[in-house]
Amino acid sequence: MRRRSLAFALLVSLVPAGALAQPPPPPPAQPAVTAPVVISHVDAVYPASAIPTAQHVDVVLAVTVDADGNVSRVDVLESGGAAVDEAAKTAVRQWRFRPATKGGQPIASRIKVPFHFAPLAPPQEITPKPQAEPVVPGNVVGQGVTGPSPESLGGTTPPAAPPTPVPPAPPPAAPPSPPPAVENVEVHGRTAPPLQGASDFRIRIEELKDIPRANASDVLKLAPGIMLQNEGGEGHAEQVFLRGFDAREGQDLELTVGGVPINEAGNLHGNGYADTHFIIPELIQGLRVLEGPFDTRQGNFAVAGSADYELGLEKRGLTAKYTQGSYGTQRALLTWGPKDESTHTFAAAEIYKTSGYGENRDAQRATAYGQYEGKLGEHGSWRVTAQGYTTNYHSAGVIREDDYDAHRIGFFDTYDPRQGGDSSRYSIAADVESKTGDTLLGQQVFVIDRSMRLLEDFTGFLLDVQTPLQQPHDQRGDLIDLSVNEQTIGARGFARWETRALDQRQELELGYFARGDHSTGTQYRDAAATGVPYHEDTNLDSKLGDIGMYADANLRPLKWLAVRGGVHADLLTYDVLNNCAVQSVAHPSETNPPGDASCLSQQDFGYYREPVQEATTSGIAVMPRGTVIAGPFEGFNLTASGGQAVRSLDPIDITQDAAAPFARVTSGEGGAMYAGGTRDVRLVARSIFFETKVNQDLIFDELVGRNVLTGATTRTGWVGAVRATGTFWDESANATLVKATYDATGLLFPYVPDVVLRSDTAFFHDLPWTVLRSKMRGRLSLGVTYVGPRPLPYGQRSDDIFTVDGSASLAWKMFELSVASTNLLDSRYKLGEYNYVSDFHTQPQPTLVPMREFTAGPPRMVFVSLSATLGGS
């Protein structure tokens, strides 16, 4: 029974409030606030590294207990050293409480939990002191709350120590005095929606933060099956592959930061384009990745799934960090977190520049980010967030494999040094969350201004063929010159009502989402010799609307059975003005031919018309989704999820009054989850089988430089993931196997990997020496990625990819020194591979047959960082 209680307590501490377990019925209403009571606990273990010192050590933790009795946050108030601090934190994270109450209703609270570590031989369990007191750091208010009694700490007294000589222990603490009257208990934060099956990954960054990551997109690789590549340069959004989907730059993956959308509706480069480079990696506190359309809260673009970044700053005080590394890379970062405020109150600014590896890969950027979180009444909080980001960069583009093999061009070289672009993003958002009675209310508003310019050349000199109506000309080049400007305004909100029935907590949530976008986009072809545009491919002015609503239920008919789900409905509207609607005439006038003009003002036989065309349309999508969770049974949960999603239409494809032909997605999965471990190891493991069908998919087209519509596809596969955390190490490993095929032919879907393996490992510990009576702490981190060969058009296969990234750091007092290396083994690999016709004028007579092209993966790069923190923890 003890192991069963331990596994159950650990499981609920690793998932969101209300996800897998519910608290006992609340006590009768009373005017006073009652303290949380421990109903199951795990003892701390004396760290092996500290045994030789044979010291008695005290640690005091501030433990946040949410309204379900789960430990949602742990802070060190009085440190006994990094090793024993971590041992105490590891233990208390696995505790389970009867939550504090006010007026008979469960509320969040924060208490002090002291631990006393006494070295024994052999080491044995350490008993926490039986008292707990409220703390008042920042946004927590409390007075006179007494903690758990000795009987509440598991119901029995700890076993006596073996008869081994030990250093004398300090006298036992006096019993606590009678508690004074309780005034109030509050904790600010955000409630997470309940778990939506085995593919709902709530990722704690924690000790894995030191693994080298170039940008915020790299953090996505902590979720199973995600592979990234980028042919467009450091300021271009990463191309995302997930579970057999080529999501390009976010078209099939709904991306948000704190609930604010990142995907750009109507972006000419790709409807749903999502650039995460404005997020400073050090501010990423957590990440929720839901692989599949299984949550009614997911909206447009959640075809393969969704990902939401949660921002916060754990390191309080003022921190200055400077990085210098390979290829002229320099980065300066300032962060500020007021010591007495929550981790969600912070400010940060970053400036970065690099010359880039090889040719034409220089980049520079600047970012500023600020957020403030405050309290709202007795049970609420509010946040205001603002950010600004701008960048300018160059890119090398693709290389033909035959040119590289013949030494006509280098591996890291470029055909066209004009490739690259610039980008910016400015936004402000505000949200509130409060609880009134048995209803939790949330509301958010946001405004975003976005712009980008992109120059890319995938085919060289292939498309500008001479036509009879044009003036004589040579091939002028295929360089795409794209510009996009977009303004977004939107809001979302919800009301979550809870009650008790069948002796279990039941929930019902109603919510809405509203978003309006005004997007302008142009695409030209620039001449290679002069850089002057000679042809206008596209010129769109789009007004897009998306208003949706959902109803979601979280029902528990039995203690071991949860049923979650509901329905999501969206109305999407389009008003698109095509300023270059006519580019060819079947029967031109013989006396007035159109000549070289791109946007024609004549119809057949020379009749006049305006070169513009406006089209409006709309469509409603209704998407049911649901999940069933059975368990826990000795730490195991069995899950089954199913749902439907849609991908909105690219504005360039709409037709007047024709119902918007959404791409419809149907997905299902079954999985098993385990959460448990030992006294000093936390373990979460998952195994998932899935299938996804898309009635109208997208595939990359090199002629236009973006994804275009193709036929129906099916994806089947398996995902395995493990996260294990000990007192001095943290390991996250996952594997994804998937087969993606066309329904009509059974052929493999191009470009998507069918095998993705990833491991992230971190070791951290106090070092065995001190400087000026202060201990030093060391860290070692390693990230390993393997991507199997990918299918390419015309029956080809790409090479596989194997990379290793690593870092080492040393912290002492306010200072930290770290060394990081990407591609540690310096393997020469092709990050992106293609197979199509191209002509870069490297041969007298181009073959005009499909040829392998690739983008070069970066070589080994080394970066050294030094940081200092003033006035923080």
Short mmCIF file of all heavy atoms in Angstrom, two decimals, residues 15 31 93 113 131 144 225 256 312 337-338 389 428 510 536 583 647 672 674 778 817 838 846:
data_model
loop_
_atom_site.label_atom_id
_atom_site.label_comp_id
_atom_site.label_asym_id
_atom_site.label_seq_id
_atom_site.Cartn_x
_atom_site.Cartn_y
_atom_site.Cartn_z
N VAL A 15 1.28 15.97 -13.23
CA VAL A 15 0.28 16.37 -14.21
C VAL A 15 -0.50 17.55 -13.68
O VAL A 15 -0.47 17.85 -12.49
CB VAL A 15 -0.67 15.20 -14.57
CG1 VAL A 15 0.09 14.04 -15.12
CG2 VAL A 15 -1.48 14.78 -13.35
N PRO A 31 -15.60 30.14 8.73
CA PRO A 31 -15.06 31.46 8.45
C PRO A 31 -13.55 31.50 8.38
O PRO A 31 -12.99 32.40 7.79
CB PRO A 31 -15.58 32.29 9.63
CG PRO A 31 -15.84 31.30 10.72
CD PRO A 31 -16.28 30.05 10.03
N ARG A 93 8.34 17.30 -3.87
CA ARG A 93 7.54 17.34 -5.11
C ARG A 93 6.61 16.14 -5.22
O ARG A 93 5.64 16.16 -5.97
CB ARG A 93 8.45 17.38 -6.33
CG ARG A 93 9.13 18.73 -6.59
CD ARG A 93 9.78 18.73 -7.96
NE ARG A 93 10.53 19.96 -8.21
CZ ARG A 93 11.85 20.03 -8.24
NH1 ARG A 93 12.58 18.94 -8.04
NH2 ARG A 93 12.46 21.18 -8.46
N VAL A 113 8.21 24.11 4.66
CA VAL A 113 8.48 22.73 5.03
C VAL A 113 9.97 22.61 5.34
O VAL A 113 10.80 22.69 4.43
CB VAL A 113 8.09 21.75 3.91
CG1 VAL A 113 8.42 20.32 4.32
CG2 VAL A 113 6.60 21.87 3.60
N GLN A 131 6.39 20.53 11.58
CA GLN A 131 5.64 21.77 11.52
C GLN A 131 5.80 22.42 10.16
O GLN A 131 6.76 22.20 9.47
CB GLN A 131 6.09 22.74 12.62
CG GLN A 131 7.48 23.33 12.40
CD GLN A 131 8.57 22.47 13.00
OE1 GLN A 131 8.33 21.31 13.30
NE2 GLN A 131 9.75 23.04 13.17
N GLY A 144 -0.52 33.14 10.26
CA GLY A 144 -0.92 32.21 11.30
C GLY A 144 -1.37 30.86 10.84
O GLY A 144 -2.12 30.21 11.55
N GLY A 225 9.44 13.18 -31.51
CA GLY A 225 9.15 13.17 -32.93
C GLY A 225 9.39 14.45 -33.67
O GLY A 225 9.17 14.51 -34.88
N THR A 256 1.66 29.00 -29.75
CA THR A 256 1.28 30.13 -28.94
C THR A 256 2.34 30.36 -27.87
O THR A 256 3.13 29.46 -27.56
CB THR A 256 -0.09 29.90 -28.25
OG1 THR A 256 -0.03 28.67 -27.51
CG2 THR A 256 -1.21 29.82 -29.26
N GLY A 312 8.78 32.57 -17.95
CA GLY A 312 9.05 32.93 -16.57
C GLY A 312 10.55 33.05 -16.39
O GLY A 312 11.34 32.59 -17.21
N GLY A 337 14.58 40.11 -12.64
CA GLY A 337 13.43 39.56 -11.96
C GLY A 337 13.39 40.07 -10.54
O GLY A 337 14.24 39.71 -9.72
N PRO A 338 12.45 40.96 -10.21
CA PRO A 338 12.37 41.47 -8.84
C PRO A 338 12.26 40.33 -7.84
O PRO A 338 11.44 39.42 -8.01
CB PRO A 338 11.10 42.33 -8.86
CG PRO A 338 10.89 42.67 -10.29
CD PRO A 338 11.40 41.50 -11.07
N TYR A 389 10.94 42.87 -31.35
CA TYR A 389 11.99 42.03 -31.96
C TYR A 389 12.22 42.49 -33.39
O TYR A 389 11.27 42.81 -34.13
CB TYR A 389 11.53 40.57 -31.94
CG TYR A 389 12.25 39.65 -32.91
CD1 TYR A 389 13.52 39.14 -32.61
CD2 TYR A 389 11.65 39.28 -34.11
CE1 TYR A 389 14.16 38.28 -33.50
CE2 TYR A 389 12.29 38.42 -35.00
CZ TYR A 389 13.54 37.93 -34.68
OH TYR A 389 14.18 37.08 -35.56
N ILE A 428 1.64 43.38 -27.71
CA ILE A 428 1.26 43.63 -26.32
C ILE A 428 0.05 42.76 -26.02
O ILE A 428 -0.83 42.57 -26.88
CB ILE A 428 0.98 45.12 -26.06
CG1 ILE A 428 0.74 45.37 -24.58
CG2 ILE A 428 -0.20 45.61 -26.90
CD1 ILE A 428 0.73 46.84 -24.19
N LEU A 510 -16.71 26.50 -20.85
CA LEU A 510 -17.17 27.15 -22.08
C LEU A 510 -16.17 28.24 -22.42
O LEU A 510 -15.72 28.98 -21.53
CB LEU A 510 -18.57 27.74 -21.91
CG LEU A 510 -19.68 26.77 -21.49
CD1 LEU A 510 -20.98 27.53 -21.29
CD2 LEU A 510 -19.86 25.67 -22.52
N GLU A 536 5.94 40.33 -61.37
CA GLU A 536 5.17 40.28 -60.12
C GLU A 536 4.33 39.00 -60.12
O GLU A 536 3.41 38.85 -60.93
CB GLU A 536 4.26 41.51 -60.00
CG GLU A 536 3.52 41.58 -58.67
CD GLU A 536 2.77 42.88 -58.48
OE1 GLU A 536 2.71 43.68 -59.46
OE2 GLU A 536 2.25 43.11 -57.39
N GLN A 583 -2.61 37.46 -65.35
CA GLN A 583 -1.20 37.40 -65.77
C GLN A 583 -1.03 36.75 -67.13
O GLN A 583 0.10 36.65 -67.62
CB GLN A 583 -0.37 36.64 -64.72
CG GLN A 583 -0.36 37.32 -63.36
CD GLN A 583 0.83 36.90 -62.52
OE1 GLN A 583 1.74 36.23 -62.98
NE2 GLN A 583 0.84 37.33 -61.28
N ARG A 647 -7.55 22.64 -41.46
CA ARG A 647 -6.53 23.61 -41.86
C ARG A 647 -7.22 24.65 -42.74
O ARG A 647 -7.84 24.31 -43.74
CB ARG A 647 -5.40 22.94 -42.63
CG ARG A 647 -4.31 23.90 -43.06
CD ARG A 647 -3.44 23.33 -44.15
NE ARG A 647 -2.78 22.11 -43.76
CZ ARG A 647 -3.01 20.93 -44.35
NH1 ARG A 647 -3.89 20.84 -45.33
NH2 ARG A 647 -2.37 19.86 -43.97
N ALA A 672 -0.44 4.21 -23.14
CA ALA A 672 -0.28 3.87 -21.73
C ALA A 672 0.76 4.80 -21.14
O ALA A 672 1.77 5.11 -21.77
CB ALA A 672 0.15 2.42 -21.57
N TYR A 674 2.98 5.78 -17.42
CA TYR A 674 3.38 5.36 -16.08
C TYR A 674 4.08 6.52 -15.39
O TYR A 674 4.91 7.21 -16.00
CB TYR A 674 4.34 4.17 -16.13
CG TYR A 674 4.94 3.85 -14.77
CD1 TYR A 674 4.19 3.19 -13.81
CD2 TYR A 674 6.22 4.27 -14.44
CE1 TYR A 674 4.72 2.92 -12.55
CE2 TYR A 674 6.77 4.00 -13.19
CZ TYR A 674 6.01 3.33 -12.25
OH TYR A 674 6.54 3.07 -11.01
N GLY A 778 28.81 22.29 -10.44
CA GLY A 778 29.11 21.98 -11.83
C GLY A 778 27.93 21.34 -12.54
O GLY A 778 27.07 20.70 -11.92
N LEU A 817 30.15 30.37 -15.33
CA LEU A 817 30.93 30.26 -16.57
C LEU A 817 30.53 28.98 -17.27
O LEU A 817 30.47 27.90 -16.64
CB LEU A 817 32.43 30.23 -16.25
CG LEU A 817 33.38 30.02 -17.44
CD1 LEU A 817 33.35 31.24 -18.36
CD2 LEU A 817 34.81 29.76 -16.95
N SER A 838 16.64 21.81 -61.48
CA SER A 838 17.18 23.15 -61.24
C SER A 838 18.31 23.42 -62.23
O SER A 838 18.84 22.51 -62.86
CB SER A 838 17.72 23.27 -59.80
OG SER A 838 18.81 22.38 -59.61
N PRO A 846 22.47 22.44 -69.18
CA PRO A 846 21.76 21.83 -68.05
C PRO A 846 20.99 20.60 -68.49
O PRO A 846 20.47 20.53 -69.61
CB PRO A 846 20.81 22.95 -67.60
CG PRO A 846 20.65 23.83 -68.79
CD PRO A 846 21.95 23.76 -69.54
#
